[in-house]
């Protein structure tokens, strides 16, 4: 057994444990941290398989941006776990059934892949998988890439439109009205008559 095989089994074990803790952790912050650990281990496994571009992309996009964003959102939201767990038992049988179907399907695919697997493909020393992936994405799968870009754009626009709804409990500032304001609209000079001066001797007599 080579060192690469041992490292693969270690990373795979940590990945499975982290993924299990994601769905069993009581705190959402803990679940997000375990999800970051799972993504990091998956990236290392991809690095062992020779997919350096996908490994770095997973770390930069998901661990470096998406997961950090999820972590900040979860920490800022007032998430009540009692409310979230209230309907867990109702949907537990359906969730277990869907999970069982997914496990059976993945086991079938892996069994067929391992059973019909041939010798490893011999790659040249100067082979650039990033270039090969880019050429496939923008030649053979260009329509799939464009459809994915459109879907991401629609999702971004939908998220912005949902957050820009008009709220009555928030005071909005109109920059255009603030720029067009004049001094006489904000300040008024009032003439107040002055009172006569009273000497100290007069005050004592009174």
């Amino acid at each position: 057994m080579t060192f690469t095989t041992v490292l693969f089994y270690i990373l795979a074990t940590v990945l499975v444990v982290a993924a299990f803790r994601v769905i069993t952790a009581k705190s959402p912050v803990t679940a997000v941290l375990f999800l970051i650990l799972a993504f990091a281990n998956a990236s290392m496994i991809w690095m062992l398989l020779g997919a350096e571009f996908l490994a770095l992309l997973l770390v930069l996009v998901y661990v470096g941006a998406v997961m950090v964003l999820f972590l900040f959102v979860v920490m800022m939201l007032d998430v009540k776990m009692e409310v979230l767990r209230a309907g867990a038992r109702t949907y537990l049988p359906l969730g277990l059934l869907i999970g069982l179907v997914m496990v059976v399907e993945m086991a079938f695919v892996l069994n067929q892949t391992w059973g019909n697997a041939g010798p490893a493909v011999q790659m040249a020393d100067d082979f650039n998988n990033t270039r090969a992936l880019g050429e496939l994405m923008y030649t053979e799968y260009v329509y799939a890439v464009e459809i994915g870009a459109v879907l991401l754009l629609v999702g971004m626009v939908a998220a912005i439109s949902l957050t820009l709804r008009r709220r009555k409990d928030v005071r909005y500032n109109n920059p255009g009205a603030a720029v067009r304001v004049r001094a006489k609209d904000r300040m008024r000079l009032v003439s107040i008559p002055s009172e006569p001066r009273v000497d100290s001797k007069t005050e004592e007599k009174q």
Side-chain angles (χ1 to χ4, degrees):
M1 183 178 291
T2 62
F3 174 74
T4 304
T5 306
V6 175
L7 185 59
F8 170 78
Y9 281 113
I10 293 175
L11 294 175
T13 303
V14 176
L15 174 60
V16 172
V17 173
F20 181 75
R21 286 293 296 155
V22 170
I23 61 177
T24 58
K26 295 182 179 180
S27 173
V29 178
T30 305
V32 172
L33 293 176
F34 274 108
L35 188 57
I36 294 175
L37 178 61
F39 280 148
N41 282 270
S43 175
M44 295 177 190
I45 293 176
W46 280 356
M47 189 72 71
L48 290 178
L49 296 177
E52 296 88 359
F53 177 73
L54 294 178
L56 295 176
L57 194 65
L58 181 63
V59 172
L60 293 176
V61 176
Y62 285 93
V63 179
V66 178
M67 283 298 101
V68 175
L69 177 62
F70 285 171
L71 183 60
F72 276 103
V73 170
V74 169
M75 292 176 65
M76 288 188 295
L77 291 178
D78 187 14
V79 180
K80 297 181 179 180
M81 299 306 299
E82 296 79 8
V83 179
L84 295 179
R85 295 195 185 98
R89 294 183 179 180
T90 305
Y91 301 101
L92 182 61
L94 180 60
L96 292 177
L97 178 61
I98 295 175
L100 179 62
V101 172
M102 293 176 61
V103 170
V104 171
E105 290 177 349
M106 288 188 293
F108 178 75
V109 172
L110 292 177
N111 186 24
Q112 293 294 322
T113 304
W114 290 339
N116 301 327
V121 179
Q122 298 296 330
M123 296 293 183
D125 295 336
D126 57 348
F127 177 75
N128 191 344
N129 58 3
T130 305
R131 180 177 179 180
L133 181 62
E135 290 178 352
L136 286 175
M137 288 177 60
Y138 293 102
T139 55
E140 186 176 353
Y141 301 100
V142 61
Y143 293 110
V145 173
E146 291 178 354
I147 292 173
V150 171
L151 291 177
L152 291 176
L153 178 62
V154 172
M156 182 176 65
V157 173
I160 294 174
S161 62
L162 289 175
T163 55
L164 289 180
R165 63 184 185 275
R166 192 72 180 180
R167 297 178 56 184
K168 297 181 179 180
D169 57 342
V170 177
R171 185 176 180 180
Y172 294 93
N173 184 23
N174 189 356
V179 172
R180 292 191 302 269
V181 70
R182 293 176 297 180
K184 64 179 183 179
D185 297 333
R186 295 299 180 93
M187 184 177 61
R188 185 178 61 178
L189 299 178
V190 180
S191 178
I192 301 176
S194 59
E195 296 291 335
R197 180 178 180 181
V198 180
D199 298 334
S200 58
K201 295 182 179 180
T202 307
E203 292 180 354
E204 290 177 0
K205 292 180 180 180
Q206 292 178 352

